[in-house]
Amino acid sequence: MPSPDRGDRTGRQEDGAADSHCWEGRQDERGAQCALEMEITNRSLHSKMTCANCDGAIHLNCSDSTEVSVSLTGRKATLMEGHNLYRLRDRKLLIEDKKRLCALALGAALLGILLMIIHTEICPHVNEPGSKISMIINAFISLSTGCLLVLVIAFHYKDIRLFIIDHNQVDWRIAMTSHRVIVIILELLVCGIHPVGSYWEAGLHVNSSFAGPPCISSHHNKALPDMELLLSMLMFLRLYLVHRAILLHSKELLSASYRSIGSLNNINFTFRFVLKVLMNKHPTRTLLVFILLFWLTVSWMLTLCERRLQDPEGADQMDTALWLIAITFLTVGYGEVTPKTSCGKGVCLFTGVMGVACTAMLVATVTEKLALNKGEKHVHFFMMDIQISKRIRHAAANVLRECWLLHRTSLTRASHGEHRRHQRCLLEAIRVFRHLRHQQRKLRDYVSEMVDLPKMQMIMCDLSANWNNSYRELEQRILSMEQKLDELTRCFQQTSELLSDVLHHRNSPEIR
């Protein structure tokens, strides 16, 4: 019989082994499972347990292994559910962070563009060599550009973390594909573009051979350098952030019902899908807002391009540029105002292409608004069919009347002129009757083409369901008939056996 001290020592040793094993489990992030092992060890000191944490599975060899495995399975399922809840919470927080960062990035981009426009517009009036106003505005432009770059990097960092959570904690290097790296580099290059001519001027204003400040001075007749013009116009590429903001703040992306139904139908919630939804819901509003913003932006870009020539009759004034962009957008082109610079010609060419595309969408939208819906078409064609039927009856009556008049003229032996007049009236009545019948046939053909496909599909589904039910009933009847035939066969066999027995019993006394 073992002593109590030895049993206590054995229990302490096993407790220490369980504690050390639990320390190893905490190192592998399995603390909950090892705590469960310690409870099982304290309850059953003579059970042998082995914990293999390589894949998170626990193998138990003991007398009550069934109960332990069931309890561990339930514990593991609970931990998995808690882990999934944490993942959903982190995913929601990351999406909210992405929305916030995208809104801030768009605000920084618009602020930089607004400061660039202010700098370009006020520069001819206040800019002199070594002016502080130009330096201050350019400093704010550079500061907004730096903030924009930081926000873009933070946005992509959140996007990579979201990718890691969606793919069950994979390595972040897996998310850095070549496509993602190229997109990040291009976004940083686009967002980093801004004019820096005031810095050059501040460092080189003592050099008389320098090209001058990045604007036009009405007193010194200085032209805007080509590089500054290009950088100022390329700042409008930052407006690509608008589509990202629309996508992240759209109700379609935020709605759980949209996402669930879209995932069942393999629909990707991209900006193209959101734009299609907007064009379906608010086509006129979307087109008008886009055309107005495009008109103002391109008109200012045209004035920036044409400002170098200082032509009083050119497109360097905003009102003239607005007129030129409008007639170019509508593909009218009167020709009284034309761009003189290559930059202005390129802007007008781009405006013409966008005008053709927007005009096509506008025509399609207006056509859709003016078109009749299904109910209106059914009512309209139904009334037209009634009216044509009435006109056909009147035309048939006219044909019969002219036939009777012609027959009466033949019987009364009237003059040949009156006879020919009635013949002409009869032929005209027949022509009108045939024409109306042809119109009715065309109308009914067009109505037959307007068959509601969902309704026809429902009718076909109902017919198919009825056929399937009839087929099942027929199968059941055939099976019941087979069962009855089997019963009848058995009854006949039993009857024949009984008859044979009876005949055998009757013949046996006679033989005796």
Side-chain angles (χ1 to χ4, degrees):
M1 180 177 179
S3 63
D5 296 336
R6 186 177 298 174
D8 293 336
R9 254 187 262 112
T10 305
R12 290 193 205 97
Q13 289 174 1
E14 291 182 359
D15 291 342
D19 291 338
S20 63
H21 190 65
C22 187
W23 173 256
E24 294 175 359
R26 288 194 190 98
Q27 295 296 324
D28 292 333
E29 299 179 357
R30 298 293 187 271
Q33 295 176 355
C34 292
L36 189 59
E37 289 181 23
M38 289 178 61
E39 293 176 3
I40 297 169
T41 305
N42 292 328
R43 292 178 183 179
S44 175
L45 295 175
H46 299 285
S47 62
K48 297 179 181 179
M49 303 191 322
T50 305
C51 217
N53 288 328
C54 56
D55 56 350
I58 300 177
H59 305 282
L60 302 175
N61 298 320
C62 56
S63 58
D64 52 350
S65 59
T66 305
E67 297 178 0
V68 174
S69 62
V70 170
S71 63
L72 290 180
T73 304
R75 181 66 177 178
K76 186 176 180 180
T78 305
L79 291 175
M80 289 290 291
E81 291 177 359
H83 181 63
N84 290 332
L85 290 176
Y86 285 130
R87 283 178 57 192
L88 290 175
R89 184 197 63 184
D90 294 341
R91 191 179 189 278
K92 183 178 180 180
L93 292 176
L94 285 174
I95 291 176
E96 293 295 330
D97 291 342
K98 284 179 64 177
K99 288 171 54 180
R100 193 179 303 110
L101 289 172
C102 183
L104 292 174
L106 181 60
L110 294 177
L111 178 62
I113 293 173
L114 181 62
L115 290 174
M116 181 268 296
I117 293 174
I118 293 173
H119 172 257
T120 307
E121 291 297 326
I122 69 173
C123 201
H125 307 286
V126 300
N127 191 25
E128 295 294 336
S131 175
K132 293 183 179 180
I133 298 177
S134 179
M135 281 291 297
I136 292 173
I137 295 177
N138 257 337
F140 278 109
I141 293 174
S142 301
L143 181 61
S144 66
T145 302
C147 295
L148 177 60
L149 294 176
V150 172
L151 291 171
V152 169
I153 294 172
F155 177 84
H156 284 286
Y157 170 72
K158 297 292 184 180
D159 194 18
I160 292 170
R161 285 192 58 193
L162 185 62
F163 178 86
I164 293 172
I165 291 176
D166 287 340
H167 293 79
N168 200 9
Q169 303 296 333
V170 297
D171 192 359
W172 66 271
R173 287 183 287 268
I174 298 176
M176 297 301 294
T177 59
S178 58
H179 179 265
R180 188 186 292 271
V181 172
I182 292 172
V183 168
I184 293 174
I185 293 173
L186 286 177
E187 287 193 20
L188 292 177
L189 289 176
V190 168
C191 295
I193 296 174
H194 67 287
V196 291
S198 296
Y199 304 131
W200 297 344
E201 180 192 355
L204 301 173
H205 67 276
V206 295
N207 189 1
S208 60
S209 62
F210 181 58
C215 61
I216 299 172
S217 178
S218 59
H219 303 289
H220 298 85
N221 194 19
K222 296 178 180 179
L224 183 68
D226 292 336
M227 184 58 68
E228 291 299 297
L229 171 65
L230 182 62
L231 292 176
S232 299
M233 295 182 64
L234 288 179
M235 281 191 69
F236 285 98
L237 293 177
R238 299 180 180 186
L239 295 178
Y240 81 93
L241 293 169
V242 174
H243 89 277
R244 181 177 291 170
I246 293 174
L247 176 62
L248 290 176
H249 291 81
S250 63
K251 295 181 180 179
E252 290 77 19
L253 186 66
L254 300 178
S255 175
S257 57
Y258 258 100
R259 291 200 304 271
S260 58
I261 295 174
S263 62
L264 292 175
N265 293 277
N266 295 325
I267 301 297
N268 294 324
F269 285 89
T270 58
F271 177 70
R272 184 182 301 176
F273 175 76
V274 175
L275 183 61
K276 289 179 181 178
V277 172
L278 286 176
M279 288 298 295
N280 270 327
K281 286 184 176 180
H282 314 289
T284 309
R285 191 185 308 173
T286 305
L287 278 176
L288 288 179
V289 170
F290 173 76
I291 290 172
L292 181 62
L293 294 177
F294 180 81
W295 182 37
L296 295 175
T297 303
V298 179
S299 299
W300 186 84
M301 292 172 67
L302 182 62
T303 60
L304 187 64
C305 292
E306 296 293 319
R307 197 174 294 176
R308 300 172 58 187
L309 299 179
Q310 292 288 305
D311 187 4
E313 297 181 356
D316 57 340
Q317 301 297 324
M318 191 63 185
D319 54 350
T320 308
L322 288 171
W323 168 252
L324 179 58
I325 292 299
I327 61 175
T328 307
F329 187 85
L330 298 174
T331 64
V332 178
Y334 292 110
E336 77 279 9
V337 181
T338 56
K340 303 297 189 300
T341 61
S342 300
C343 176
K345 292 177 182 178
V347 169
C348 289
L349 179 61
F350 177 69
T351 304
V353 174
M354 292 299 296
V356 171
C358 292
T359 303
M361 289 191 291
L362 188 61
V363 169
T365 302
V366 173
T367 304
E368 184 181 1
K369 291 295 183 182
L370 295 178
L372 298 175
N373 57 24
K374 290 183 180 180
E376 293 171 346
K377 284 182 180 180
H378 284 301
V379 172
H380 174 64
F381 290 134
F382 181 74
M383 296 305 298
M384 286 184 64
D385 189 32
I386 292 175
Q387 292 175 4
I388 290 177
S389 298
K390 289 182 180 179
R391 292 174 64 187
I392 287 173
R393 288 196 294 269
H394 288 300
N398 289 332
V399 172
L400 293 176
R401 187 189 65 180
E402 295 299 333
C403 286
W404 165 248
L405 292 176
L406 181 62
H407 178 67
R408 191 181 66 177
T409 304
S410 300
L411 291 178
T412 57
R413 296 179 182 180
S415 62
H416 294 288
E418 187 177 358
H419 190 270
R420 285 192 296 271
R421 183 173 64 81
H422 285 297
Q423 283 182 343
R424 284 193 295 270
C425 291
L426 177 61
L427 293 176
E428 181 65 20
I430 293 172
R431 187 192 66 80
V432 171
F433 177 77
R434 288 178 177 175
H435 178 68
L436 292 175
R437 288 292 301 272
H438 181 67
Q439 284 187 353
Q440 187 183 35
R441 194 179 301 114
K442 286 175 62 177
L443 179 64
R444 289 181 177 176
D445 290 340
Y446 187 74
V447 171
S448 64
E449 291 177 358
M450 291 176 52
V451 176
D452 195 357
L453 293 179
K455 185 177 180 180
M456 182 63 68
Q457 187 177 4
M458 291 178 62
I459 293 172
M460 295 300 295
C461 289
D462 293 337
L463 289 175
S464 178
N466 293 330
W467 290 341
N468 290 330
N469 293 330
S470 301
Y471 179 72
R472 292 193 190 96
E473 291 178 359
L474 183 61
E475 280 187 344
Q476 291 177 358
R477 289 181 180 180
I478 291 172
L479 289 174
S480 63
M481 288 178 65
E482 288 180 352
Q483 292 175 0
K484 291 180 180 179
L485 286 174
D486 293 337
E487 292 178 358
L488 288 173
T489 304
R490 274 192 241 101
C491 291
F492 286 143
Q493 289 178 357
Q494 292 176 1
T495 305
S496 62
E497 291 176 358
L498 289 173
L499 288 174
S500 62
D501 292 340
V502 170
L503 292 174
H504 179 69
H505 286 299
R506 284 185 180 180
N507 293 330
S508 59
E510 293 178 357
I511 294 172
R512 292 178 185 176

